[in-house]
Amino acid sequence: MCAPAAPLLIAAGAISAAGTGYAALQSAAASKYQARVADRNAQLDTEAAFRETENTRTAALAHYRQVAQLKGEQRVAMAANGVSLDFGSALDVQRDTDMLAREDAQRIYDQGEQAVRGFDISASNNRAQARAARSAAKGAIVKGVFNMASTALSTASQYHNMRPR
């Protein structure tokens, strides 16, 4: 092969290796960005779980206040009609109101816990996705280094084969 082709071969190999390195850096940067997004999503899910816990407590308190108001209205109505509140149907009504109120409160807490569980699962999934993206970034760099080395070795081999013997 003629001598002017050797510098072209070396230049082509260098450009190819540089392109491979740049592609590896770009891939790593994209994976790191995905990791940051997943970390942020996990943080948002954790905050949403906290807010849901607070909202559940607030809903339960509002429920207890409504029940207290209802019980007060029941007592006033029964007392206004001369019904004794300590036994019989009046007492049964109060006990039923308490029972239904506890069931409703439990439902409020159960729904809140389910919502929090969903946010916790989502946050966990996002953290795992972030770890995977960081791993992919490292893998892209390692792959890029190996590909650059392969390109350099291939260029060196071609150069060696084109030298006069």
Side-chain angles (χ1 to χ4, degrees):
M1 186 172 236
C2 62
L8 290 176
L9 176 66
I10 291 171
I15 290 171
S16 177
T20 299
Y22 181 76
L25 291 174
Q26 288 301 102
S27 178
S31 293
K32 288 177 183 177
Y33 173 76
Q34 289 175 342
R36 285 192 305 274
V37 168
D39 282 334
R40 180 64 180 142
N41 288 339
Q43 182 183 16
L44 292 172
D45 284 334
T46 300
E47 290 170 9
F50 176 77
R51 278 192 310 277
E52 183 62 34
T53 299
E54 292 302 311
N55 291 342
T56 298
R57 287 183 188 137
T58 301
L61 285 174
H63 171 70
Y64 290 132
R65 287 184 183 116
Q66 289 174 342
V67 169
Q69 181 180 356
L70 174 64
K71 288 171 67 176
E73 290 170 0
Q74 288 172 342
R75 287 185 180 131
V76 166
M78 287 184 260
N81 288 315
V83 176
S84 175
L85 304 175
D86 298 341
F87 64 92
S89 295
L91 185 59
D92 290 342
V93 167
Q94 291 177 68
R95 287 181 180 160
D96 287 347
T97 300
D98 287 338
M99 177 192 64
L100 293 172
R102 282 190 304 273
E103 289 175 3
D104 289 343
Q106 186 61 51
R107 200 171 0 269
I108 290 169
Y109 282 114
D110 289 346
Q111 289 171 349
E113 287 174 12
Q114 282 298 97
V116 167
R117 183 173 185 263
F119 289 124
D120 287 345
I121 290 169
S122 181
S124 178
N125 289 342
N126 281 316
R127 283 189 288 276
Q129 184 179 3
R131 284 190 300 275
R134 279 190 281 281
S135 179
K138 290 176 187 173
I141 295 295
V142 170
K143 180 182 178 196
V145 168
F146 280 113
N147 286 344
M148 288 173 65
S150 175
T151 299
L153 288 174
S154 175
T155 301
S157 175
Q158 288 176 3
Y159 178 75
H160 176 69
N161 289 339
M162 68 185 268
R163 287 187 328 172
R165 293 179 197 222

